[in-house]
């Protein structure tokens, strides 16, 4: 069985009690950090992004960072279920007509890990929320974001994703990833 990374309790990589101790982020604009209602993009940043909001409940440090690191670099696939449970609590309620879409990792990382962590999180979140999961994005290239500056990340990601051909576009797309960097 898994052992809680924080308290040592047997059964999960991060037990429910320790999940509740994770430091929550204030609802804010992901670009500038200004507090906003429901993590909407603020009016100053709205013309700089097509995104309406980015929801993130937990700061990426301490035990949360350790959990993500274990999932991504220590083959701790079970951590994706923990992450999905945390997301499900934070995101509720979601629009019934929404579709969950993971941000695909590079083919190289998928081969190294044997899985795509965002895909596993989105699939688990789909089961928890009863929302459909769809693999709508395709990733091109193999640039890694780890350690890159915001400017370099933005350059690397430009043109990196395409939308797979669909018979009809979903009304609401909720994009799922494990870490927010540049948005």
């Amino acid at each position: 069985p898994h052992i809680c990374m924080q308290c040592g309790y047997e059964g999960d990589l991060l037990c429910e009690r320790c999940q509740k101790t994770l430091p929550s982020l204030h609802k804010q604009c992901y670009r500038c950090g200004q507090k906003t209602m429901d993590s909407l993009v603020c009016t100053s940043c709205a013309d700089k992004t097509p995104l309406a909001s980015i929801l993130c409940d937990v700061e990426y440090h301490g035990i949360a960072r350790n959990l993500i690191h274990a999932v991504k670099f220590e083959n701790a696939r079970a951590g994706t279920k923990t992450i999905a449970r945390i997301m499900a609590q934070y995101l509720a309620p979601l629009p019934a007509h929404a579709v969950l879409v993971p941000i695909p990792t590079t083919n190289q990382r998928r081969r190294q890990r044997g899985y795509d962590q965002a895909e596993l999180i989105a699939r688990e979140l789909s089961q928890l929320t009863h929302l459909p999961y769809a693999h709508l994005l395709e990733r091109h290239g193999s640039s890694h974001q780890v350690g890159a500056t915001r400017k370099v990340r933005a350059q690397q990601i430009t043109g990196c994703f395409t939308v797979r051909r669909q018979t009809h576009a979903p009304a609401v797309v909720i994009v799922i990833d494990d870490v927010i960097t540049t948005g």
Side-chain angles (χ1 to χ4, degrees):
H2 294 287
I3 305 297
C4 177
M5 300 172 83
Q6 185 156 313
C7 71
Y9 183 78
E10 196 173 281
D12 204 346
L13 284 171
L14 189 61
C15 72
E16 288 186 36
R17 186 179 68 211
C18 290
Q19 286 176 30
K20 293 176 183 172
T21 67
L22 292 171
S24 289
L25 288 172
H26 299 288
K27 295 185 182 214
Q28 61 190 28
C29 172
Y30 83 94
R31 288 185 55 90
C32 69
Q34 177 183 326
K35 288 184 181 180
T36 62
M37 180 184 268
D38 296 327
S39 299
L40 295 171
V41 174
C42 72
T43 54
S44 300
C45 295
D47 63 339
K48 298 175 182 118
T49 180
L51 301 175
S53 68
I54 290 186
L55 300 174
C56 180
D57 184 37
V58 178
E59 291 187 49
Y60 183 65
H61 74 275
I63 197 69
R65 185 180 187 280
N66 294 345
L67 177 61
I68 296 289
H69 189 274
V71 167
K72 292 173 86 165
F73 304 112
E74 298 171 16
N75 202 29
R77 291 174 73 143
T80 60
K81 292 182 180 195
T82 302
I83 294 166
R85 280 196 306 274
I86 293 167
M87 285 182 170
Q89 292 171 13
Y90 181 69
L91 294 174
L94 293 170
H97 56 282
V99 175
L100 302 172
V101 177
I103 296 285
T105 192
T106 65
N107 288 333
Q108 178 186 5
R109 288 285 196 208
R110 182 186 283 269
R111 282 190 300 275
Q112 286 173 340
R113 294 182 187 127
Y115 57 91
D116 179 335
Q117 73 281 354
E119 181 179 333
L120 294 179
I121 293 167
R123 287 182 186 272
E124 183 68 25
L125 191 57
S126 174
Q127 290 179 353
L128 294 170
T129 61
H130 306 290
L131 290 174
Y133 158 88
H135 193 76
L136 296 180
L137 296 176
E138 199 167 313
R139 185 174 191 136
H140 308 284
S142 60
S143 61
H144 297 290
Q145 302 284 21
V146 176
T149 65
R150 182 179 179 92
K151 183 178 180 180
V152 170
R153 288 173 191 257
Q155 290 169 344
Q156 288 175 340
I157 213 74
T158 302
C160 185
F161 298 102
T162 55
V163 177
R164 291 182 173 198
R165 186 173 172 88
Q166 295 295 308
T167 55
H168 65 284
V172 175
V173 174
I174 299 173
V175 181
I176 305 295
D177 207 356
D178 55 348
V179 178
I180 295 173
T181 50
T182 57

